[in-house]
Amino acid sequence: GAGVSQSPRYKVAKRGQDVALRCDPISGHVSLFWYQQALGQGPEFLTYFQNEAQLDKSGLPSDRFFAERPEGSVSTLKIQRTQQEDSAVYLCASSLGGFRPDSNQPQHFGDGTRLSIL
Amino acid sequence: SQELEQSPQSLIVQEGKNLTINCTSSKTLYGLYWYKQKYGEGLIFLMMLQKGGEEKSHEKITAKLDEKKQQSSLHITASQPSHAGIYLCGAGANTGNQFYFGTGTSLTVIP
């Protein structure tokens, strides 16, 4: 497809299980972002990739969160030993060029994965 | 970290009314994005403002950037039910590669 695709759309897991969330960005997009969005809040930055390089992971809440983009296209966000506070919508976005705060580089978002931890 | 505060938090207007949403940054803005989100969906890009004083319009939505005040405003003229959703402002960090979003403004338009 032409847009950013995320899978699964919904994921239910028991506390303590590991989960993996997938993001297929727009083909050719250099930048890829992951966000966590709690109910009623704006998205919170988790991590940023430029091609296959993870240039910023300062937003990952704990060492249970891990993200990769090994070939510079598809990305996976993995959460180990899930906790109830991990329940949220996880959004992925891609943009054409490398990130610069003053450049006009709109991010294109997927519909997100809604993660519920029981 | 950069903080983006939006006001109001929620807005309920009658169809046809004008409205304004504000976004204030705790740090200097080098660019400001506006997005719209519908429930259960991803964010849709509306427009990006790069320079102080810049104003952009898309259909009935106009956004302005006041760099000195570190503020942006989004104005909708003659609102329609299709304008309903959550409006989010966003900006990149001045250093590093983080991108921050505002707290969001939920807009309801009553037909």
Side-chain angles (χ1 to χ4, degrees):
Chain A
V4 176
S5 177
Q6 290 188 246
S7 60
R9 284 282 281 131
Y10 303 92
K11 177 69 179 177
V12 180
K14 291 184 179 177
R15 187 164 55 95
Q17 288 183 331
D18 298 349
V19 297
L21 312 180
R22 177 186 170 105
C23 173
D24 282 82
I26 294 172
S27 178
H29 276 198
V30 168
S31 292
L32 187 144
F33 297 80
W34 281 100
Y35 298 90
Q36 181 189 60
Q37 186 174 27
L39 191 64
Q41 303 292 319
E44 295 276 345
F45 170 84
L46 293 177
T47 187
Y48 167 72
F49 288 87
Q50 185 170 309
N51 296 310
E52 69 279 3
Q54 188 175 21
L55 298 187
D56 196 315
K57 54 181 181 179
S58 61
L60 296 176
S62 76
D63 58 7
R64 297 185 295 103
F65 286 70
F66 172 76
E68 58 182 5
R69 194 187 185 196
E71 297 178 358
S73 55
V74 172
S75 178
T76 304
L77 177 67
K78 297 179 181 177
I79 309 173
Q80 297 176 326
R81 305 181 303 282
T82 52
Q83 303 293 317
Q84 283 193 323
E85 62 261 28
D86 300 335
S87 297
V89 175
Y90 290 86
L91 293 167
C92 173
S94 69
S95 61
L96 183 60
F99 173 76
R100 279 181 48 191
D102 59 345
S103 67
N104 191 347
Q105 291 277 357
Q107 294 177 46
H108 301 264
F109 282 79
D111 285 338
T113 293
R114 184 174 297 275
L115 176 64
S116 298
I117 306 300
L118 305 178
Chain B
S1 64
Q2 184 156 13
E3 290 185 2
L4 296 171
E5 191 70 30
Q6 287 184 235
S7 63
Q9 190 173 358
S10 65
L11 205 50
I12 302 174
V13 301
Q14 202 76 35
E15 183 177 359
K17 295 293 186 186
N18 302 337
L19 62 105
T20 300
I21 298 168
N22 295 300
C23 174
T24 303
S25 173
S26 61
K27 297 189 177 181
T28 301
L29 288 168
Y30 293 101
L32 192 286
Y33 291 78
W34 283 99
Y35 287 86
K36 179 184 175 184
Q37 185 177 30
K38 293 205 165 181
Y39 181 77
E41 299 180 10
L43 282 65
I44 303 295
F45 170 73
L46 295 176
M47 58 192 85
M48 189 262 184
L49 304 162
Q50 289 176 286
K51 302 174 186 176
E54 185 174 17
E55 181 174 321
K56 284 188 178 177
S57 293
H58 174 68
E59 296 179 345
K60 294 185 178 178
I61 301 176
T62 300
K64 301 180 187 179
L65 178 62
D66 184 335
E67 241 174 22
K68 289 182 181 177
K69 291 185 180 177
Q70 298 175 180
Q71 274 185 341
S72 178
S73 61
L74 185 89
H75 184 76
I76 299 178
T77 303
S79 57
Q80 300 170 358
S82 60
H83 288 128
I86 300 170
Y87 289 83
L88 293 150
C89 60
N94 301 340
T95 57
N97 298 286
Q98 306 92 15
F99 194 89
Y100 297 102
F101 283 96
T103 46
T105 296
S106 176
L107 172 64
T108 302
V109 180
I110 300 172

